[in-house]
Amino acid sequence: MRHSEWVNEVLLSLSNELVKVRDRQNLLKVLGSHLKEVVPFTGCMMTVMDEKEASYTAYLMDSDSRLQELSDEGNALRLPTPADDGIHDIASWYYKPLVFDMETFDRRSMPLWFRLHYETGAREMIVKILGSNGPSQYSLVLFADKPGAFGQEAVNIISRISGQLFTVVSNISANEEILERENEKSFLLDFSSDIAAVRSKADLALAVRTCLKKLHSLNGYAIRKVNEDQSTTTHTSTTKRTYPSTTHWCRNLSTASSLYMTDCKTVYWPVRSPFLQRQRRDRAGNKAPYLQLWKEAGFNTIAGTALRTGNQQLGILWMSIGDINMPLLMGICAQISIAMSNIMANEEILRREKEEAFLHNFSRDIAALRTKDDLERAISNVLHNVLNIRLAIIRVIDEDGVTLSPFMFDETRLGKRLDQFRTLMARTIDINHGLSARVLQSEEPVVFDVEEEVANRTEEPIVLFWQSLGMQCAYGAPLRMGATTIGLLWLLTDEVNLPVFKSICAQISIAISNIQANEKILAYKQKLENENDYLREQIKTIYNFSEIVGSGAQMQKVYRLMTQVAESNSTVLLLGETGTGKELIARAIHNSSPRKSKLMVKVNCAALPTHLIESELFGHEKGAFTGAIDRRIGKFELANNSTLFLDEIGEMPSNYR
């Protein structure tokens, strides 16, 4: 059989086998078993151009395992190579295959795949651009271990089979694309099923972790939620895998307070690229230290994808991934966005339910309060345990309608500044002065920036006191009952839930109003009881005279004197022997005065023990002395705005008179 016939027979067999090819490995096997019979090559490689025609990567190769071991870069033949590498760009200019003597190239400037094949013994190669299928352009590269291996016959054979090879490769790519889309649909369907059951962050983390670990090129991921300020993000979920030299990566990325937010759909960055660091530095205003973190983790590329529902920014999915399937990635992000939106909605519902339950319980507790001590305990409990606030001050407006007096305040976190705080609390504050006026004139709680107030030279010692405590903000809220302002509440904290704060203020206002009313009722009750006790004592000792009897000249003089002093608030001295009617005169003066509607209080000074004179006349507080088991109002206080009759005052010791 002639050589040409034998070649045709081999190529016919090759063609028949190529028709049966359905995947890359099968194609590689057919080339190695049939084409190698007529073309003496020792290595085979096919490449595919990227969509931008800027670089190409290996499509298939037969030396993958050996060449990978020679590279510190991992699977080096799969790394992108610039299209203008001096080989591919030259081959694309010619219709026929080109043969290159590898000995004539400066290996230091050649692509990595060239150097690695040279190290394995390749000395000559033949390159044929097979053609383009849409955005994809394929090429065939064969290697030989000695120069001159690829003659004119090899060039002709490669030219003859290039068309069929291109068809086979296109079919394989089409089949792979169909299979990939089916896998994507199956993948997203499974992920959607998992996402549908998500109700919490922990559920989401598990579903995302289970989903993303199926992406074999994924090294790590992190999900960060956009904060309310729409400029910073906080950690939501992170991969649990541990990588060499990256034991702190997940922890540091999770606890970072703020990361750059991009408005584009997906950002795909090579971490080692200087452009990335310059871009991050320009946009974020810093050197982006977490980029160095990613470098230390060994991540070659980082993809950041915005998570959105409609126009609402929810967060960012960061992934260290070697190869991105954009439709699949966008499908994953869409599912994660829906889940995050549902979780945030559920959290908002739970938060509101918790707030409502809290306010209901607080309202119930407040309704049962009757004393200031009870209120202080209730407020302290809600501020400390629920809102985590340690310092609160309540001032109420006095009866004069101008002065703000301390009603209660928290001293638990003052330490060495306690004396200074008490001094500030003892100061008299006018409702029309400074910060208090700004709060009382507002319908809503007022937030004070401490540093800003200091910079504006607010002339109030309390502002400097806030600064000394290291506080950033102070919250002031008016306490009102209907249209009546009863005081104000100060909270020293850097952050507070304003709707809850307003509701608490409303409840506290009701409680303070109730306590004040209760205190007045108790005071009136005590006064009535004291007057009742006094009247009972008077009934036992009162003289049995209903009026003064007498119309003589001397009595007329007495009547005139009584008339003169009755309208005044002057002290009157009544002189006379025992039984001459001094008390009758005193009662007549009282009954003729503007004070007649109130009780006249009588004190028999001769009957008072010396050691009780002060207590009887001026009263005493509970525990003032042994036996003082309760607060007692003195006769002077009992006779306030009325008349006090001190009978037999001459019998009192001179030092008391």
Side-chain angles (χ1 to χ4, degrees):
M1 181 183 295
R2 291 186 302 173
H3 179 73
S4 59
E5 293 177 352
W6 172 75
V7 170
N8 290 334
E9 185 175 333
V10 171
L11 293 181
L12 178 61
S13 175
L14 173 63
S15 177
N16 292 333
E17 292 298 321
L18 287 176
V19 172
K20 303 175 184 178
V21 168
R22 291 293 179 269
D23 57 53
R24 300 188 193 188
Q25 293 303 316
N26 196 3
L27 173 61
L28 192 63
K29 182 178 179 181
V30 170
L31 292 177
S33 61
H34 290 75
L35 183 61
K36 198 174 274 190
E37 293 183 30
V38 292
V39 178
F41 65 91
T42 58
C44 175
M45 172 179 164
M46 295 188 73
T47 65
V48 59
M49 184 74 70
D50 67 5
E51 294 182 2
K52 297 181 179 179
E53 299 185 2
S55 62
Y56 61 90
T57 55
Y59 183 74
L60 60 80
M61 65 201 74
D62 64 354
S63 305
D64 195 7
S65 58
R66 287 188 297 137
L67 293 175
Q68 185 172 343
E69 295 175 358
L70 297 175
S71 172
D72 294 333
E73 303 293 332
N75 194 349
L77 295 185
R78 297 193 182 276
L79 295 177
T81 301
D84 55 349
D85 60 353
I87 298 175
H88 191 280
D89 53 344
I90 294 176
S92 64
W93 295 343
Y94 294 89
Y95 176 75
K96 292 184 177 182
L98 287 185
V99 179
F100 294 91
D101 184 353
M102 299 177 69
E103 296 278 9
T104 62
F105 288 91
D106 181 4
R107 293 188 298 277
R108 293 173 299 179
S109 61
M110 298 312 294
L112 183 59
W113 62 265
F114 180 98
R115 301 197 305 269
L116 293 176
H117 277 91
Y118 187 90
E119 293 295 329
T120 59
R123 293 296 180 267
E124 188 176 69
M125 62 182 179
I126 184 170
V127 181
K128 175 65 174 81
I129 305 300
L130 299 179
S132 299
N133 180 17
S136 300
Q137 185 184 71
Y138 301 95
S139 63
L140 172 68
V141 183
L142 299 179
F143 299 93
D145 56 2
K146 58 184 178 181
F150 299 127
Q152 186 61 43
E153 184 181 47
V155 171
N156 293 334
I157 291 174
I158 297 300
S159 295
R160 290 175 62 184
I161 67 171
S162 61
Q164 189 173 9
L165 275 179
F166 173 69
T167 302
V168 171
V169 172
S170 298
N171 291 337
I172 292 174
S173 297
N175 290 335
E176 288 178 346
E177 184 176 354
I178 293 172
L179 181 60
E180 183 179 9
R181 289 180 180 177
E182 291 298 323
N183 290 336
E184 287 177 12
K185 292 179 181 178
S186 177
F187 180 91
L188 291 175
L189 184 62
D190 293 340
F191 186 45
S192 177
S193 178
D194 294 339
I195 285 293
V198 166
R199 292 294 181 271
S200 65
K201 291 181 181 178
D203 295 341
L204 176 62
L206 178 61
V208 172
R209 196 175 302 120
T210 303
C211 165
L212 295 185
K213 73 179 181 181
K214 298 177 183 178
L215 303 178
H216 301 294
S217 60
L218 179 71
N219 295 318
Y221 80 92
I223 298 176
R224 297 185 66 85
K225 174 185 173 184
V226 176
N227 297 327
E228 292 183 2
D229 59 13
Q230 292 297 306
S231 61
T232 60
T233 60
T234 52
H235 167 69
T236 296
S237 176
T238 308
T239 179
K240 287 189 174 181
R241 289 181 59 186
T242 303
Y243 306 94
S245 76
T246 64
T247 55
H248 62 298
W249 176 75
C250 291
R251 180 174 65 254
N252 288 357
L253 186 58
S254 299
T255 56
S257 60
S258 176
L259 287 178
Y260 169 71
M261 287 172 48
T262 177
D263 290 331
C264 59
K265 290 184 178 179
T266 302
V267 180
Y268 187 48
W269 288 323
V271 174
R272 291 183 174 83
S273 169
F275 169 73
L276 168 63
Q277 296 194 31
R278 182 171 64 252
Q279 180 190 50
R280 299 287 289 187
R281 186 161 54 248
D282 292 342
R283 293 190 180 183
N286 55 52
K287 295 183 179 180
Y290 47 88
L291 292 181
Q292 183 63 33
L293 198 65
W294 289 337
K295 287 183 181 181
E296 294 174 4
F299 299 157
N300 294 328
T301 52
I302 291 293
T305 308
L307 302 174
R308 295 189 182 95
T309 54
N311 295 326
Q312 182 183 8
Q313 282 273 24
L314 300 177
I316 304 175
L317 172 64
W318 292 100
M319 294 188 298
S320 170
I321 190 167
D323 203 7
I324 289 185
N325 182 327
M326 290 298 295
L328 179 62
L329 177 61
M330 299 310 298
I332 291 173
C333 290
Q335 297 290 345
I336 294 176
S337 299
I338 294 172
M340 285 185 65
S341 179
N342 292 338
I343 290 172
M344 292 166 63
N346 290 335
E347 288 178 344
E348 179 66 16
I349 292 172
L350 292 175
R351 183 188 66 81
R352 292 185 180 182
E353 289 178 350
K354 184 178 179 181
E355 286 180 4
E356 290 177 1
F358 155 70
L359 292 174
H360 177 268
N361 293 334
F362 185 58
S363 176
R364 181 190 60 198
D365 295 340
I366 286 289
L369 300 180
R370 290 295 180 268
T371 66
K372 185 188 296 186
D373 291 339
D374 293 339
L375 177 61
E376 187 168 0
R377 282 191 294 269
I379 293 177
S380 176
N381 177 66
V382 70
L383 293 182
H384 294 186
N385 300 334
V386 180
L387 300 180
N388 196 29
I389 297 172
R390 291 290 178 184
L391 185 58
I393 304 167
I394 296 178
R395 287 182 176 269
V396 296
I397 301 175
D398 291 346
E399 292 184 358
D400 61 9
V402 176
T403 306
L404 281 165
S405 298
F407 185 76
M408 65 176 58
F409 45 83
D410 182 8
E411 300 177 343
T412 55
R413 60 176 290 183
L414 297 174
K416 297 180 180 179
R417 295 184 176 87
L418 179 58
D419 292 338
Q420 181 185 1
F421 179 72
R422 288 177 175 173
T423 301
L424 291 173
M425 289 299 97
R427 294 175 62 243
T428 300
I429 297 180
D430 193 307
I431 63 171
N432 299 314
H433 180 69
L435 303 181
S436 299
R438 290 161 63 181
V439 174
L440 294 175
Q441 292 169 6
S442 173
E443 295 295 328
E444 300 290 332
V446 180
V447 183
F448 294 94
D449 186 300
V450 175
E451 293 300 328
E452 183 178 330
E453 294 297 328
V454 172
N456 292 337
R457 298 181 180 180
T458 303
E459 296 180 357
E460 291 203 28
I462 192 68
V463 175
L464 298 178
F465 179 74
W466 294 343
Q467 186 186 38
S468 68
L469 290 177
M471 305 305 300
Q472 297 178 8
C473 297
Y475 293 78
L479 300 176
R480 293 190 175 96
M481 273 291 293
T484 304
T485 302
I486 62 175
L488 55 82
L489 168 66
W490 289 102
L491 293 184
L492 298 189
T493 181
D494 293 335
E495 185 177 358
V496 72
N497 186 323
L498 286 179
V500 174
F501 182 35
K502 290 171 61 178
S503 298
I504 290 175
C505 289
Q507 298 294 339
I508 291 175
S509 299
I510 295 173
I512 292 176
S513 181
N514 291 341
I515 288 173
Q516 289 177 331
N518 190 56
E519 288 178 346
K520 288 182 179 180
I521 291 172
L522 291 176
Y524 289 142
K525 180 181 177 182
Q526 184 65 41
K527 183 177 181 180
L528 290 174
E529 289 177 352
N530 293 335
E531 290 181 352
N532 186 51
D533 291 341
Y534 175 75
L535 289 174
R536 290 179 182 275
E537 294 176 3
Q538 288 293 88
I539 289 173
K540 297 177 182 179
T541 59
I542 193 170
Y543 289 102
N544 191 18
F545 296 106
S546 60
E547 58 183 14
I548 300 175
V549 178
S551 58
Q554 293 299 321
M555 290 304 298
Q556 292 297 327
K557 181 179 179 180
V558 171
Y559 294 153
R560 287 194 297 272
L561 293 174
M562 291 166 57
T563 302
Q564 291 178 2
V565 300
E567 296 296 329
S568 70
N569 291 325
S570 300
T571 301
V572 179
L573 177 62
L574 301 177
L575 301 176
E577 298 293 334
T578 300
T580 57
K582 296 187 294 296
E583 183 178 349
L584 287 176
I585 299 298
R587 289 188 182 280
I589 293 173
H590 173 73
N591 292 333
S592 300
S593 71
R595 302 175 296 278
K596 62 183 179 180
S597 62
K598 298 182 180 179
L599 176 69
M600 186 188 85
V601 179
K602 173 190 173 184
V603 179
N604 187 355
C605 298
L608 294 177
T610 304
H611 64 284
L612 293 180
I613 291 176
E614 184 177 353
S615 175
E616 285 293 325
L617 294 180
F618 302 105
H620 61 258
E621 296 294 329
K622 179 180 178 181
F625 54 84
T626 303
I629 61 174
D630 203 353
R631 183 174 181 269
R632 181 180 178 87
I633 297 176
K635 295 299 190 290
F636 274 94
E637 185 176 354
L638 186 62
N640 186 36
N641 293 324
S642 184
T643 302
L644 176 63
F645 177 50
L646 300 176
D647 195 14
E648 303 295 347
I649 192 171
E651 300 299 325
M652 290 179 64
S654 58
N655 57 329
Y656 282 103
R657 292 201 303 270

